[in-house]
Amino acid sequence: QVQLVESGGGSVQAGGSLRLSCAASGDTVSTNYMGWFRQAPGKEREGVATVDANGSTTYASSVKGRFTISQDNAKNTLYLQMDSLKPEDTAMYYCAAPQRGTGCSVSLRLWYNYCYNYWGQGTQVTVSS
Protein backbone atom coordinates (compact mmCIF):
# COMPACT_ATOMS: atom_id res chain seq x y z
CA GLN A 1 0.00 0.00 0.00
CA VAL A 2 1.07 3.54 -0.76
CA GLN A 3 -0.40 6.64 0.80
CA LEU A 4 -0.16 9.97 -1.00
CA VAL A 5 -0.85 13.39 0.49
CA GLU A 6 -0.72 16.54 -1.64
CA SER A 7 -0.15 20.06 -0.39
CA GLY A 8 0.83 23.48 -1.66
CA GLY A 9 -2.26 24.47 -3.58
CA GLY A 10 -3.84 27.89 -3.30
CA SER A 11 -5.01 30.99 -5.12
CA VAL A 12 -2.66 33.03 -7.27
CA GLN A 13 -2.89 35.63 -9.99
CA ALA A 14 -2.04 34.85 -13.58
CA GLY A 15 1.69 34.86 -14.12
CA GLY A 16 2.37 33.70 -10.59
CA SER A 17 3.92 30.49 -9.28
CA LEU A 18 3.04 27.65 -6.94
CA ARG A 19 4.91 24.57 -5.81
CA LEU A 20 2.91 21.45 -5.10
CA SER A 21 4.22 18.64 -2.93
CA CYS A 22 3.13 15.02 -2.65
CA ALA A 23 4.34 13.11 0.41
CA ALA A 24 4.43 9.36 -0.15
CA SER A 25 4.46 6.75 2.58
CA GLY A 26 4.11 2.99 2.76
CA ASP A 27 5.49 0.68 0.08
CA THR A 28 7.17 3.35 -2.02
CA VAL A 29 10.43 1.49 -2.70
CA SER A 30 9.02 -0.35 -5.71
CA THR A 31 7.35 2.64 -7.31
CA ASN A 32 8.75 2.87 -10.83
CA TYR A 33 7.21 6.22 -11.68
CA MET A 34 4.80 8.82 -10.35
CA GLY A 35 2.61 11.42 -11.95
CA TRP A 36 0.61 14.61 -11.48
CA PHE A 37 -2.90 14.88 -12.85
CA ARG A 38 -5.52 17.61 -12.70
CA GLN A 39 -9.27 17.90 -13.06
CA ALA A 40 -11.19 21.09 -13.69
CA PRO A 41 -14.94 21.34 -12.98
CA GLY A 42 -16.94 19.66 -15.71
CA LYS A 43 -13.85 18.23 -17.38
CA GLU A 44 -12.13 14.87 -17.38
CA ARG A 45 -8.99 14.25 -15.38
CA GLU A 46 -5.89 14.87 -17.48
CA GLY A 47 -2.24 14.05 -17.11
CA VAL A 48 0.11 16.92 -16.34
CA ALA A 49 3.57 15.40 -15.83
CA THR A 50 5.31 12.14 -14.96
CA VAL A 51 8.75 11.20 -13.65
CA ASP A 52 10.36 7.78 -13.39
CA ALA A 53 12.95 6.31 -11.04
CA ASN A 54 15.76 7.48 -13.34
CA GLY A 55 14.48 11.03 -13.37
CA SER A 56 13.11 10.94 -16.90
CA THR A 57 10.11 13.20 -17.32
CA THR A 58 7.13 13.72 -19.60
CA TYR A 59 4.82 16.73 -19.78
CA ALA A 60 1.49 17.61 -21.29
CA SER A 61 1.93 20.07 -24.13
CA SER A 62 -0.21 22.63 -22.29
CA VAL A 63 2.28 22.89 -19.41
CA LYS A 64 5.60 22.13 -21.08
CA GLY A 65 8.10 24.91 -20.42
CA ARG A 66 6.07 26.25 -17.49
CA PHE A 67 5.82 23.29 -15.07
CA THR A 68 8.64 21.15 -13.69
CA ILE A 69 8.19 17.77 -12.03
CA SER A 70 10.84 16.50 -9.65
CA GLN A 71 11.30 14.08 -6.78
CA ASP A 72 13.33 13.83 -3.61
CA ASN A 73 13.78 10.13 -2.99
CA ALA A 74 15.33 10.70 0.44
CA LYS A 75 12.15 12.48 1.52
CA ASN A 76 9.75 10.29 -0.51
CA THR A 77 8.29 13.48 -1.91
CA LEU A 78 7.14 14.41 -5.39
CA TYR A 79 7.02 18.06 -6.47
CA LEU A 80 5.40 20.10 -9.20
CA GLN A 81 6.83 23.58 -9.70
CA MET A 82 4.28 25.64 -11.60
CA ASP A 83 5.39 28.95 -13.12
CA SER A 84 3.69 31.43 -15.44
CA LEU A 85 0.33 30.16 -14.28
CA LYS A 86 -2.74 30.79 -16.42
CA PRO A 87 -6.45 30.82 -15.51
CA GLU A 88 -6.86 27.60 -17.50
CA ASP A 89 -4.53 25.88 -15.03
CA THR A 90 -7.27 26.16 -12.40
CA ALA A 91 -8.10 22.63 -11.25
CA MET A 92 -7.78 20.09 -8.49
CA TYR A 93 -4.31 18.56 -8.73
CA TYR A 94 -3.63 14.95 -7.80
CA CYS A 95 -0.48 12.90 -7.50
CA ALA A 96 -0.56 9.21 -8.35
CA ALA A 97 1.59 6.08 -8.24
CA PRO A 98 1.34 2.52 -9.57
CA GLN A 99 1.19 -0.64 -7.51
CA ARG A 100 4.32 -2.71 -7.02
CA GLY A 101 5.01 -4.91 -10.02
CA THR A 102 2.55 -3.09 -12.25
CA GLY A 103 2.67 -0.10 -14.49
CA CYS A 104 2.62 1.20 -18.03
CA SER A 105 5.15 2.13 -20.64
CA VAL A 106 6.34 5.71 -20.79
CA SER A 107 4.11 6.56 -23.74
CA LEU A 108 0.97 5.65 -21.78
CA ARG A 109 1.63 7.10 -18.32
CA LEU A 110 0.43 10.61 -19.08
CA TRP A 111 -2.78 9.47 -20.76
CA TYR A 112 -4.36 6.64 -18.84
CA ASN A 113 -5.63 6.54 -15.27
CA TYR A 114 -5.25 2.74 -15.22
CA CYS A 115 -1.48 3.23 -15.11
CA TYR A 116 -1.94 4.25 -11.47
CA ASN A 117 -3.36 2.41 -8.47
CA TYR A 118 -2.87 5.00 -5.75
CA TRP A 119 -4.17 8.56 -5.72
CA GLY A 120 -3.96 11.40 -3.27
CA GLN A 121 -6.94 13.43 -2.10
CA GLY A 122 -5.99 16.41 -4.25
CA THR A 123 -5.02 20.02 -3.69
CA GLN A 124 -6.89 22.94 -5.28
CA VAL A 125 -5.14 25.44 -7.53
CA THR A 126 -7.03 28.58 -8.54
CA VAL A 127 -5.53 31.10 -10.95
CA SER A 128 -7.30 34.43 -11.41
CA SER A 129 -6.89 36.74 -14.38
Side-chain angles (χ1 to χ4, degrees):
Q1 289 286 332
V2 174
Q3 294 78 42
L4 303 171
V5 179
E6 302 97 334
S7 61
S11 297
V12 65
Q13 288 191 328
S17 298
L18 283 173
R19 187 196 196 199
L20 306 183
S21 299
C22 172
S25 60
D27 186 17
T28 60
V29 175
S30 301
T31 300
N32 295 323
Y33 57 87
M34 294 185 71
W36 283 101
F37 287 73
R38 66 185 182 186
Q39 187 168 19
K43 295 187 177 181
E44 292 187 354
R45 187 176 297 181
E46 62 176 359
V48 175
T50 72
V51 62
D52 68 16
N54 296 320
S56 296
T57 59
T58 63
Y59 293 94
S61 58
S62 59
V63 306
K64 200 167 187 178
R66 300 188 298 121
F67 291 11
T68 304
I69 188 171
S70 62
Q71 57 190 355
D72 185 331
N73 293 327
K75 296 182 179 179
N76 286 336
T77 302
L78 181 72
Y79 301 102
L80 186 68
Q81 177 67 41
M82 304 186 297
D83 298 318
S84 302
L85 282 161
K86 304 176 181 180
E88 50 264 44
D89 294 319
T90 295
M92 185 72 79
Y93 283 72
Y94 302 88
C95 64
Q99 190 174 11
R100 177 195 294 190
T102 69
C104 298
S105 63
V106 173
S107 61
L108 301 178
R109 294 170 188 171
L110 200 58
W111 303 103
Y112 296 102
N113 289 345
Y114 67 70
C115 293
Y116 302 85
N117 302 96
Y118 304 108
W119 296 83
Q121 84 289 349
T123 185
Q124 178 68 38
V125 171
T126 303
V127 184
S128 58
S129 58

